[in-house]
Amino acid sequence: MSESTGKAGTTHFGYRDVPVAEKQKLVGEVFSSVAGKYDLMNDAMSLGIHRLWKRFFVATSQVRKGDRVLDLAGGTGDIAALLKERVGETGELVLGDINGDMLRVGRDRMTDRGNVRGFEYVQCNAEALPFPDASFDLVTMAFGLRNVTDKDAALREIARVLKPGGQARVLEFSEVQAEWFKPIYDFHSFKVLPKLGSLFAGDADSYQYLAESIRKHPPQAELKAMMEAAGLARCSFRNMSAGIVAIHTGYKV
């Protein structure tokens, strides 16, 4: 199922319908705008607990010393830095991101942290990855899939570049499960978050889009079915924080 719905040739950009060909450019503008304030953005969107989600995401991944790992939408390098501790000196990490500004922030941060060995930085589109089949033991994507125009294509590409037995892991904002919490979450997302974006980053519109993009992202069961349709096996998901986010897992057979 492609994200293109409604009128032919259109897709969602937040709550707006835009031509499919324009979404990548519009999303790129959002992330170029927020690249320097990305941690602030995640703190605002998650009430500060995105760091705990990311640590759990990596800690529960099936990764070993010496593995070759691709972190898509790797952006500012938070996931890659955590993965580096697990793959060790013999492992390889490829940070892939479609946005050059985000990738530069990530590279600079890695250099500042002293992480200069075992990393490769590749500007790439998740819908058409520039890697051979069966290249990676693990592919991760944290808070990036909802911004991809054709999510099905990205999931197929993830499956393609995984080695047999390799694992795909997606960490993404999802559908809140507790009914009592939904109005609170909506108020935070649509009233508080854009104001925080305006106050701290001078960019309310980008933060408004990010809140809307969460609501347009496939909920847990639907994304699980999409991963299965992309060719991944033993797919499952685990809700965290009442379903604000979910970890999705699948394997290459």
Side-chain angles (χ1 to χ4, degrees), residues 92-159:
E92 295 178 63
L93 273 162
V94 178
L95 271 76
D97 202 298
I98 196 170
N99 188 284
D101 292 312
M102 293 288 289
L103 208 56
R104 279 187 287 277
V105 170
R107 185 181 59 221
D108 290 347
R109 284 188 176 182
M110 287 298 180
T111 303
D112 290 345
R113 294 169 180 169
N115 290 326
V116 293
R117 296 180 59 189
F119 287 95
E120 183 182 351
Y121 302 89
V122 178
Q123 188 169 354
C124 60
N125 186 339
E127 299 172 23
L129 295 174
F131 308 109
D133 295 356
S135 298
F136 297 97
D137 300 288
L138 171 68
V139 178
T140 58
M141 195 172 195
F143 304 120
L145 185 61
R146 75 181 188 280
N147 299 302
V148 174
T149 303
D150 190 339
K151 297 176 179 62
D152 297 297
L155 292 170
R156 288 193 299 269
E157 281 292 272
I158 289 172

Side-chain angles (χ1 to χ4, degrees), residues 15-199:
Y15 286 167
R16 289 165 49 199
D17 282 337
V18 299
V20 169
E22 285 186 20
K23 178 168 179 177
Q24 183 176 313
K25 173 177 174 288
L26 291 168
V27 171
E29 290 171 353
V30 167
F31 281 91
S32 291
S33 173
V34 303
K37 302 276 188 178
Y38 189 67
D39 282 343
L40 172 65
M41 179 190 77
N42 279 332
D43 282 332
M45 292 177 73
S46 71
L47 303 178
I49 57 176
H50 67 97
R51 291 177 176 82
L52 297 177
W53 292 336
K54 290 171 179 174
R55 286 194 171 277
F56 187 81
F57 177 65
V58 171
T60 54
S61 65
Q62 202 171 39
V63 64
R64 295 170 297 213
K65 300 287 185 187
D67 277 355
R68 189 162 190 252
V69 180
L70 170 63
D71 181 33
L72 285 172
T76 52
D78 290 353
I79 298 296
L82 295 170
L83 285 164
K84 182 61 178 170
E85 300 170 13
R86 295 180 174 269
V87 301
E89 292 299 315
T90 57
E92 295 178 63
L93 273 162
V94 178
L95 271 76
D97 202 298
I98 196 170
N99 188 284
D101 292 312
M102 293 288 289
L103 208 56
R104 279 187 287 277
V105 170
R107 185 181 59 221
D108 290 347
R109 284 188 176 182
M110 287 298 180
T111 303
D112 290 345
R113 294 169 180 169
N115 290 326
V116 293
R117 296 180 59 189
F119 287 95
E120 183 182 351
Y121 302 89
V122 178
Q123 188 169 354
C124 60
N125 186 339
E127 299 172 23
L129 295 174
F131 308 109
D133 295 356
S135 298
F136 297 97
D137 300 288
L138 171 68
V139 178
T140 58
M141 195 172 195
F143 304 120
L145 185 61
R146 75 181 188 280
N147 299 302
V148 174
T149 303
D150 190 339
K151 297 176 179 62
D152 297 297
L155 292 170
R156 288 193 299 269
E157 281 292 272
I158 289 172
R160 180 184 66 79
V161 302
L162 277 172
K163 297 176 183 178
Q167 186 185 50
R169 305 234 334 147
V170 175
L171 172 64
E172 190 53 89
F173 287 102
S174 202
E175 186 175 73
V176 171
Q177 300 300 294
E179 289 297 329
W180 66 268
F181 186 60
K182 287 181 180 180
I184 300 170
Y185 186 55
D186 284 345
F187 179 81
H188 171 75
S189 298
F190 295 109
K191 300 298 183 184
V192 178
L193 184 59
K195 284 184 170 59
L196 290 175
S198 179
L199 180 64

Side-chain angles (χ1 to χ4, degrees), residues 204-253:
D205 290 344
S206 290
Y207 285 71
Q208 179 77 23
Y209 157 73
L210 290 164
E212 292 175 0
S213 71
I214 294 170
R215 301 314 194 277
K216 301 300 284 189
H217 185 65
Q220 290 89 326
E222 186 177 340
L223 182 53
K224 176 176 178 283
M226 291 169 65
M227 292 177 70
E228 291 167 343
L232 294 164
R234 291 163 36 221
C235 296
S236 62
F237 63 84
R238 176 172 183 155
N239 288 322
M240 294 193 293
S241 302
I244 293 177
V245 298
I247 296 174
H248 284 260
T249 304
Y251 294 87
K252 178 72 170 287
V253 293

Side-chain angles (χ1 to χ4, degrees), residues 4-11 19-20:
S4 296
T5 58
K7 297 187 292 291
T10 66
T11 189
V20 169

